Amino acid sequence: MKKTIALFLLGILFTSCVSTKVSLKNNFDYSVLKTDKNYIVENQDGNKIRGFKYLSQNNMSVTGSQEGKEISIEKSQIKRILKPSTGKTLGLVVGVIGAAVVIPAYVGNRPVGQ
């Protein structure tokens, strides 16, 4: 049981919560991106650019920086842009840990921690 819970928690940590900002669903509306915010850019070939700090855009490309280097990505190569949500991930992990502590105590009808 404990191994199952540990694997579940690790799964949650490695698949942190993200929200899609730019994709085919919103007709690739880049106006929702905010300057100096970090995003994850997923290209058409499946590669992901993590820690992409958005700087600007024009008709053909999106410009940002990653690890101090300026990067320009053609809009035709972008599949979607995601925004990591650290707060949601933290809340989810805290909730799962709380449930992992309380549920076994509730099922066993004994005080928490024993």
Side-chain angles (χ1 to χ4, degrees), residues 5-41:
I5 292 172
L7 288 173
F8 181 70
L9 289 174
L10 283 175
I12 290 172
L13 289 174
F14 288 121
T15 58
S16 63
C17 297
V18 294
S19 58
T20 303
K21 293 296 179 184
V22 176
S23 70
L24 182 62
K25 288 184 179 180
N26 73 348
N27 294 319
F28 293 98
D29 179 14
Y30 293 91
S31 66
V32 298
L33 301 178
K34 296 181 181 174
T35 306
D36 292 331
K37 297 290 182 181
N38 287 325
Y39 295 95
I40 301 169
V41 179

Side-chain angles (χ1 to χ4, degrees), residues 14-80:
F14 288 121
T15 58
S16 63
C17 297
V18 294
S19 58
T20 303
K21 293 296 179 184
V22 176
S23 70
L24 182 62
K25 288 184 179 180
N26 73 348
N27 294 319
F28 293 98
D29 179 14
Y30 293 91
S31 66
V32 298
L33 301 178
K34 296 181 181 174
T35 306
D36 292 331
K37 297 290 182 181
N38 287 325
Y39 295 95
I40 301 169
V41 179
E42 186 176 340
N43 292 331
Q44 294 290 348
D45 59 6
N47 290 332
K48 291 183 180 177
I49 301 170
R50 298 182 183 274
F52 179 84
K53 184 182 273 189
Y54 173 75
L55 298 175
S56 65
Q57 66 163 322
N58 60 32
N59 290 338
M60 301 298 289
S61 65
V62 174
T63 304
S65 66
Q66 182 186 33
E67 298 175 3
K69 297 179 183 177
E70 191 168 300
I71 301 171
S72 185
I73 304 170
E74 289 184 35
K75 288 182 177 180
S76 63
Q77 297 299 313
I78 296 174
K79 182 177 181 180
R80 62 185 174 166

